[in-house]
Amino acid sequence: MTALVAADGSASHRFLARLATGVAPMRDLSDVVHQFCLLHARHPDVIEQALEHSHEGATAAWMAEAAAGFAAERAYIVRLVAAAGPLPSTPGQAQSEAAIAAQRHALDMLAQSDRTGCADGTVLALVLDWPAIRALLNIAGERLGIDPPASALPPAFETATVIDALAATLPVERAMLFGAQQMLAQHRGLWDVLEARASARDAH
């Protein structure tokens, strides 16, 4: 799972890497904040939905901790959006909104899956991928004069323990990996949208 996140997660996307090095244009950082707000800062979020649908004892306590931690992350993103101001003017806005709406729907389906292990894998991948996203949100926060709060998401060693406990049988492990792969695909898709939006603004 950690190898999957390292290979296919947000940290390996070229646009995130570009924004994290040097001084990124504020409009690009603002766009990141706004679009991640659209994808994740809603109630109930992905983790809260998964908490309702997961029946895995191995992840119950971890999932509750992750839900509380991610609620704090949502509040942080909302603060960043308020500080960043309006969404940067970008050609093709309607197409971007449609793409992110489709991503939200895909994440809802994963979080509400009745396939044992799928919702859990979705959340595990979100929590493992979030530090790379959070690092960029923090860069935006610092530029906006907001001190980044400490993350309350479960630490990596706890998450690793839960992954080992959950992957006790092959069918559950497969479902968990499927959920994780789909979550990472949605994040990569969002970074692709963000990169395309930045290129459109630069060319406009």
Side-chain angles (χ1 to χ4, degrees), residues 48-56 110-114 119-120:
E48 289 168 334
Q49 291 182 70
L51 194 56
E52 291 290 316
H53 284 79
S54 170
H55 305 294
E56 287 296 303
L110 289 167
Q112 297 172 36
S113 173
D114 292 326
D120 305 87

Side-chain angles (χ1 to χ4, degrees), residues 2 62 65 124 127-128 153-165:
T2 50
W62 179 90
E65 182 185 354
L124 286 160
V127 170
L128 288 172
L153 288 172
F157 73 88
E158 275 185 26
T159 304
T161 303
V162 168
I163 291 168
D164 288 344

Side-chain angles (χ1 to χ4, degrees), residues 39 110 182:
L39 187 64
L110 289 167
Q182 294 303 308

Side-chain angles (χ1 to χ4, degrees), residues 63-185:
M63 190 92 76
E65 182 185 354
F70 203 69
E73 295 298 301
R74 289 198 335 247
Y76 177 42
I77 295 175
V78 170
R79 280 182 65 205
L80 292 176
V81 166
L87 188 68
S89 177
T90 307
Q93 179 62 34
Q95 294 94 317
S96 298
E97 287 177 4
I100 293 168
Q103 290 184 314
R104 275 207 313 263
H105 179 69
L107 292 181
D108 288 345
M109 293 300 98
L110 289 167
Q112 297 172 36
S113 173
D114 292 326
R115 185 180 173 191
T116 304
C118 180
D120 305 87
T122 302
V123 174
L124 286 160
L126 171 57
V127 170
L128 288 172
D129 198 40
W130 196 253
I133 296 164
R134 175 60 126 85
L136 199 61
L137 294 177
N138 288 349
I139 290 172
E142 285 160 10
R143 294 272 293 276
L144 294 165
I146 294 174
D147 289 331
S151 172
L153 288 172
F157 73 88
E158 275 185 26
T159 304
T161 303
V162 168
I163 291 168
D164 288 344
L166 185 61
T169 64
L170 194 56
V172 175
E173 183 180 14
R174 282 181 180 150
M176 180 179 76
L177 286 172
F178 173 79
Q181 287 165 340
Q182 294 303 308
M183 166 55 79
L184 296 175

